Amino acid sequence: MPVRAAGSRPRLTIASLNLWDAGTHIDGPAEKLARLVLGQGLDVLALQETGGTSAKPLADALGWHAYDTPAGVGIVSRFPLTDAAAPVVDVPAVAATLQLPGGRRLRLWAAQLDEAAYGPYALRDGRTPAEVEAAERASLRHRQATALLTAMKGDLAARSTPVVLAAGLASPSHLDRATKVRWPVTVALASAGLHDAFREAHPNPSREPGTTWSPVRPDEPRDRVDQVQYTGPLRVEAAYALCTGWPKPVPDTAANGWPSDHAAPAVTFTVR
């Protein structure tokens, strides 16, 4: 499938997808993943929980390009990848440059932050917003976000090349929840100059919550913990939380067509 174009400007859809223990909770994950990518017209996937080996087999099945890391984060791309590396110590993350049509480039970062001590659980259990925010600021998750942004600093400063971060943040957004918690992870991303693509396209969180956690765990807090953020010369054409079919809840997930316990944030960009 050729890249979609708006005039002479490349147009591509990037999604972040948590493979939920490398697809071990569903039957036939490889085939279902390939069908998902082709059926939904995705061009690039930032993957988490790959088991260190899931990106390349999927790319091989599609005839695409891939980069896998032992940390369980990978990239699968319709476009050639260059300068791929895992440049952040102690953060499951990978960066690569997508070589787009017309000589254009896009710098993509994929990451997964620590999931321990999830803030909404503490709110549910009666902790005050101030206590939860303080705990979040002291968390490994927030330290990882800070380290990630430090590693991204050079890319973020190169304003002529667009930068996209597609990640599992394990945190709600300060732009979403009607609480007094200023969730430090997403505040840090915004302070570094990144734009929340979904909330830019859908500024009313009560009308468009964009929930990604969790389509198969109905008793969990409902939050947008997976995000696609960006900076540089990109235009957001569409942004949505992707989850196909009607997946059955845990523990009856084996026959699900949807391969994850997260929905996948997906964003269609035009390169300006």
Side-chain angles (χ1 to χ4, degrees), residues 104-159:
R104 291 178 171 86
R105 299 182 302 160
L106 183 147
R107 188 69 169 160
L108 176 68
W109 288 74
Q112 181 177 23
L113 303 186
D114 183 64
E115 296 177 341
Y118 183 48
Y121 293 163
L123 286 175
R124 181 187 60 190
D125 295 340
R127 301 286 296 276
T128 68
E131 290 172 330
V132 171
E133 185 170 331
E136 285 288 309
R137 289 188 182 281
S139 69
L140 173 59
R141 177 168 45 252
H142 186 233
R143 293 197 300 274
Q144 287 178 328
T146 301
L148 178 64
L149 289 169
T150 298
M152 295 177 66
K153 188 173 181 179
D155 288 343
L156 295 174
R159 299 182 183 275

Side-chain angles (χ1 to χ4, degrees), residues 38-54:
L38 296 175
Q40 297 299 315
L42 304 178
D43 299 299
V44 182
L45 284 89
L47 300 175
Q48 302 92 38
E49 293 193 24
T50 66
T53 59
S54 298

Side-chain angles (χ1 to χ4, degrees), residues 142-249:
H142 186 233
R143 293 197 300 274
Q144 287 178 328
T146 301
L148 178 64
L149 289 169
T150 298
M152 295 177 66
K153 188 173 181 179
D155 288 343
L156 295 174
R159 299 182 183 275
S160 61
T161 299
V163 179
V164 172
L165 170 65
L169 301 179
S171 169
S173 171
H174 66 289
L175 300 176
D176 289 358
R177 270 182 165 259
T179 70
K180 295 181 180 179
V181 179
R182 291 272 295 171
W183 298 98
V185 166
T186 57
V187 169
L189 299 184
S191 297
L194 287 160
H195 305 284
D196 182 334
F198 182 86
R199 197 49 69 214
E200 181 177 294
H202 307 285
N204 187 332
S206 60
R207 184 177 301 166
E208 295 283 353
T211 300
T212 63
W213 180 254
S214 161
V216 298
R217 301 179 188 273
D219 296 330
E220 289 283 301
R222 318 304 288 173
D223 285 298
R224 191 167 59 95
V225 300
D226 308 271
Q227 294 189 22
V228 176
Q229 300 219 3
Y230 78 97
T231 189
L234 293 172
R235 178 188 180 97
V236 176
E237 302 291 347
Y240 50 98
L242 176 62
C243 181
T244 58
W246 299 95
K248 291 183 178 181

